[in-house]
Amino acid sequence: MLTILLRSVILFIVLFIVMRLMGKRQIGEMEPYELAITLVIAELACIPMGDKSIPLAYGIVSILAMYLIHQIILLVSKNNKMQTVISGKPVLVITEEGIDYNALQAMNISASDLLQAMRVGGHFDLSE
């Protein structure tokens, strides 16, 4: 039990440092690749944490590899074309005529979700 506790503490410290290096964001503000990397890192930490037959170094090296991939994607995304490929491009869903329902449908967002997001952002009227 003490071994699992120590492995958990070590992996937590490594995860904490790597996540701080990647930058602090809320999940809703993450780019899709950042969310994917975060989920993979979580899984990579779980495996050596509970399985004593897997060396702890394997988990640490895997986590650091995900950090390296994150940094490479950041470098590549400085190119405008690659930024569009990696993160997509913004879509206007509210125009001067009102809500663009075709754009909402293409993004799988309902009008009520849009209006709720507007209210959360402090906008209670489409004209705002």
Side-chain angles (χ1 to χ4, degrees):
M1 293 292 277
L2 184 60
T3 304
I4 291 175
L5 176 68
L6 289 174
R7 291 167 71 95
S8 300
V9 169
I10 291 169
L11 283 169
F12 173 79
I13 292 169
V14 171
L15 280 172
F16 182 76
I17 291 169
V18 168
M19 296 307 281
R20 294 289 292 163
L21 288 173
M22 286 175 55
K24 55 182 179 179
R25 291 183 181 208
Q26 295 178 356
I27 289 179
E29 296 175 355
M30 288 184 171
E31 295 290 337
Y33 74 90
E34 291 174 320
L35 180 60
I37 287 174
T38 301
L39 293 173
V40 169
I41 285 176
E43 182 65 26
L44 290 172
C46 287
I47 295 169
M49 194 180 300
D51 188 353
K52 289 191 271 183
S53 67
I54 298 173
L56 189 60
Y58 287 7
I60 293 171
V61 169
S62 300
I63 291 168
L64 293 175
M66 288 294 106
Y67 173 71
L68 181 63
I69 290 170
H70 178 263
Q71 294 304 108
I72 290 170
I73 291 173
L74 283 177
L75 283 173
V76 169
S77 68
K78 289 184 180 182
N79 178 322
N80 287 339
K81 288 183 182 181
M82 290 306 296
Q83 175 67 27
T84 302
V85 170
I86 293 170
S87 300
K89 59 182 179 178
V91 176
L92 290 176
V93 293
I94 299 176
T95 63
E96 292 178 5
E97 292 83 33
I99 298 175
D100 184 351
Y101 289 99
N102 292 330
L104 284 180
Q105 187 177 14
M107 294 181 10
N108 292 324
I109 299 175
S110 69
S112 62
D113 289 341
L114 173 65
L115 294 172
Q116 180 181 5
M118 286 177 53
R119 285 190 297 273
V120 168
H123 304 285
F124 298 97
D125 190 350
L126 281 178
S127 62
E128 293 179 22

